Amino acid sequence: MSGIGSSASLPEPVCAAFDLFKATGERGRLAHGYVVSAPRTAWGVALAELAGQWLYCEAEGPLRPCGQCRGCRLVQNRTHPDMAWVEPEMKSRVISIDQMRELNHVLRQTSFEGGWKVAVIQDAHRLNENSANAFLKTLEEPPSRCLLLLVTDSPQTLLPTIRSRCQLLPVGSAGVKEIDSPVERVMLDWLRRRTGQESPLEQSAWIGALLREVRDRAEHEEKERATDEVDKEVIEARAQARVVGARQEVLRTLYQWERDVLALAGGADPACLFYPEHQEQATQQAAAYGVSGALQRLRRVEDARRYLEGNVPESSVWEAVVPL
């Protein structure tokens, strides 16, 4: 990577990820939102800084970003008027809804210098459900020439609705995601082998059986570790909490898979996939569904999450809207 701004002291994973970002930008194909997935927060922050410098640098050609001009220095000092930085509050270590509302307001204002507006959300996994939902409107309908960078070392903990509206920009080993969730592993094995011929009843029964297995295992393990002072209701509550977590894993995996299929159907760079190791199977499904079909499937998974938060019976939700 050339340019004074891209110092040789930067780790190679940061340089490689920036080269991908820069090449995409030079083709005029930047997405409005990126999940910058980095195993070290400092790497993700360094990439965000380089991205801002590239957008605001006054140099031309291969020297961009130069690291020396006014624009580059303002980004480095975090004082550029068109680049906002958000990080968790000191005491709670949570990104609050008030912070996101303020960011939304800033992003809707006219650019001070007539160019891009950039927002960097550091430790984006610290968004809680309320603050993430407050940010969704901007992700769904971003202002023109607006770049949103969500830096995190735990992309899997972001709300599916957040991740589905962003492209993944991996930094280093974060690009090869290790599947450490049994539920996610089982779901992926099924998703990559699906034929599209499964009936709604079959798909509902399969997910129901998976979640019952999680519940049975959770109840057994909670009983094994419980002391005499722990009553049955506490054990059941703990087991139910694990079932709720498993349900979120099911939805999260579906979101990411359908997002990959949609990305491939639209001709996106495979480097942005959540599950690059399953690119071949996802590509086959992308060819079968096309862009409109893949987009419809992604939206149906989003419907499932909304219905599950309401009073719709779970079996009916899986049968009606989950596109397996």
Side-chain angles (χ1 to χ4, degrees), residues 217-227 235:
R217 185 185 304 114
E219 288 181 347
H220 174 74
E221 292 176 355
E222 291 298 336
K223 288 177 181 178
E224 287 289 318
R225 69 166 61 101
T227 63
I235 293 174

Side-chain angles (χ1 to χ4, degrees), residues 29 31 33-34 163-169 194 254-276 279 282-287 289-298:
R29 298 183 62 181
Y34 288 92
R163 290 197 290 179
S164 67
R165 288 166 172 80
C166 298
Q167 288 195 24
L168 180 67
L169 184 56
R194 71 182 179 184
L254 283 168
Y255 255 105
Q256 294 177 173
W257 183 273
E258 299 297 349
R259 160 65 174 69
D260 282 0
V261 172
L262 176 60
L264 291 169
D269 192 323
C272 297
L273 298 181
F274 283 104
Y275 299 117
Q279 180 183 342
T283 298
Q284 293 171 357
Q285 294 177 22
Y289 305 142
V291 173
S292 60
L295 179 60
Q296 182 181 25
R297 298 173 76 85
L298 184 63

Side-chain angles (χ1 to χ4, degrees), residues 3 8 20 26 52 61 103 108 116 122 124-125 191 193 198 202 210 263 289 316:
L20 175 61
E26 288 174 343
L103 178 63
R108 295 291 172 184
W116 283 82
Q122 187 173 324
H125 53 277
L191 286 167
R193 292 185 291 105
E198 296 84 0
E202 288 173 329
L210 173 63
Y289 305 142
S316 299

Side-chain angles (χ1 to χ4, degrees), residues 230-237:
V230 178
D231 59 29
K232 182 179 178 181
E233 290 184 358
V234 172
I235 293 174
E236 291 178 349

